[in-house]
């Protein structure tokens, strides 16, 4: 009897201390699915993407409308440069600035939004592999903003050329430089979204991040000159200035330029700037979570 009691008392604590085996770590595709659900579960995502896309397309279409209305009064010299004007209407500088601000803000809010609400603590508790989690977030944001940029640039090109076709002032997508305008404008969205994510991962405060986005991506390109080689290199490496070079079909062929560039940028260098911003910003967003805690 005593032996039985001893065995039972010994087995009891073992049953009480029993713990189920730890769950297997989440696979990367599961992290992608979770981030996909997370980004589309917010109504702000739909509103931000939809309203900004409509505003950008409307801004470009309005530029084409003005071109259409003034076409008959244009001097012959301006009409000779009609193709360059049509490509400029396809995606204007004002539309590019709006795209930069919208895409960078959406990218930043995917990170600073979680830090602001404290949801990031739950996320890291559920997925201790922080780098894998952030890599999934970067992948999802890049995919969504690439589609967003392609839609906005493609519809803008189609809408503006449809308006200009009434004056036979439109250009086809096969026209030299037209594809570059569309592709560069489309890729500007994911590049700036990743830049916003990188700044958000470092700053982790909504208002400060938005100020930094405005300063780095919109204000800085206007203040840096190209008088010196090093300032020209910094200026040309910024996303907005790289985009400006890629969409300028008449670059270097306009004899009426009053102030020529001291150190002209190249198409190849502008594509490299796009790629460098995307890669470096993505790497920062992935790695900084291991260096700083919540």
């Amino acid at each position: 009897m005593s032996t039985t009691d001893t065995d039972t008392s010994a087995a009891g604590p073992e049953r009480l201390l029993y713990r189920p085996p730890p769950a297997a770590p989440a696979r990367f595709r599961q992290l992608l699915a979770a981030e996909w659900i997370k980004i589309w579960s917010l109504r702000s995502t739909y509103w931000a993407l939809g309203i900004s896309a409509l505003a950008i397309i409307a801004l470009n279409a309005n530029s084409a409308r003005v071109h259409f209305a003034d076409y008959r009064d244009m001097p012959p010299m301006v009409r000779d440069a009609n193709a360059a004007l049509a490509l400029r209407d396809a995606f204007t500088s004002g539309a590019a600035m709006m795209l930069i601000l919208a895409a960078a803000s959406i990218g930043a809010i995917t990170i600073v939004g979680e830090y602001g609400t404290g949801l990031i603590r739950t996320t890291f508790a559920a997925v201790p592999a922080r780098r894998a989690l952030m890599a999934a977030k970067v992948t999802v944001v890049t995919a969504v903003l690439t589609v967003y940029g392609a839609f906005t640039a493609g519809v803008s090109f189609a809408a503006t050329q449809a308006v200009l076709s009434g004056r036979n002032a439109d250009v086809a997508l096969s026209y030299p430089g037209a594809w570059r305008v569309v592709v560069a404008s489309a890729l500007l969205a994911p590049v700036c979204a990743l830049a916003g994510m990188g700044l958000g991962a470092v700053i982790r405060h909504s208002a400060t991040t938005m100020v930094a986005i405005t300063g780095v991506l919109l204000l800085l390109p206007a203040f840096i000159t190209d008088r010196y080689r090093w300032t020209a290199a910094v200026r040309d490496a910024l996303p907005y200035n790289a985009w400006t070079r890629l969409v300028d079909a008449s670059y270097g062929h306009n004899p009426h330029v009053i102030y020529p560039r001291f150190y002209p940028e190249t198409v190849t260098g502008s594509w490299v700037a796009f790629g460098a911003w995307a890669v470096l910003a993505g790497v920062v967003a992935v790695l900084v979570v291991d260096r700083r805690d919540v």
Side-chain angles (χ1 to χ4, degrees), residues 88-279:
R88 189 172 299 175
D89 290 336
F91 214 92
T92 62
S93 58
M97 291 181 182
M98 188 179 297
L99 178 76
I100 288 172
L101 184 59
S105 300
I106 293 170
I109 205 66
T110 59
I111 291 182
V112 297
E114 289 197 53
Y115 278 101
T117 60
L119 178 62
I120 197 69
R121 295 182 177 87
T122 304
T123 302
F124 285 156
V127 184
R130 296 186 175 189
R131 291 187 180 183
L133 175 67
M134 294 304 296
K137 190 183 292 291
V138 166
T139 303
V140 169
V141 170
T142 302
V144 171
L145 269 297
T146 299
V147 174
Y148 164 82
F151 172 81
T152 305
V155 174
S156 291
F157 183 87
T160 54
Q161 302 315 305
V163 172
L164 295 175
S165 63
R167 302 288 193 200
N168 292 323
D170 59 314
V171 296
L173 193 57
S174 58
Y175 186 85
W179 265 110
R180 197 172 69 206
V181 172
V182 175
V183 173
S185 301
L187 293 181
L188 185 63
V191 169
C192 292
L194 289 171
M197 291 189 74
L199 290 172
V202 172
I203 300 173
R204 304 187 182 189
H205 186 273
S206 298
T208 309
T209 301
M210 298 308 167
V211 171
I213 286 172
T214 304
V216 174
L217 299 181
L218 293 179
L219 298 181
L220 194 59
F223 285 101
I224 299 181
T225 67
D226 64 333
R227 179 169 292 275
Y228 305 102
R229 185 178 296 276
W230 71 271
T231 57
V234 174
R235 183 181 186 278
D236 298 340
L238 296 173
Y240 176 76
N241 291 328
W243 171 86
T244 301
R245 173 63 185 93
L246 291 171
V247 301
D248 190 357
S250 63
Y251 187 88
H253 303 288
N254 188 353
H256 304 286
V257 174
I258 299 176
Y259 300 106
R261 293 290 306 274
F262 290 98
Y263 301 99
E265 63 267 51
T266 64
V267 171
T268 302
S270 298
W271 285 124
V272 170
F274 263 28
W277 270 91
V279 172

Side-chain angles (χ1 to χ4, degrees), residues 34-46 119:
E35 291 300 324
W36 178 266
I37 294 172
K38 189 183 297 182
I39 193 173
W40 291 114
S41 63
L42 300 174
R43 291 184 179 180
S44 58
T45 301
Y46 296 92
L119 178 62

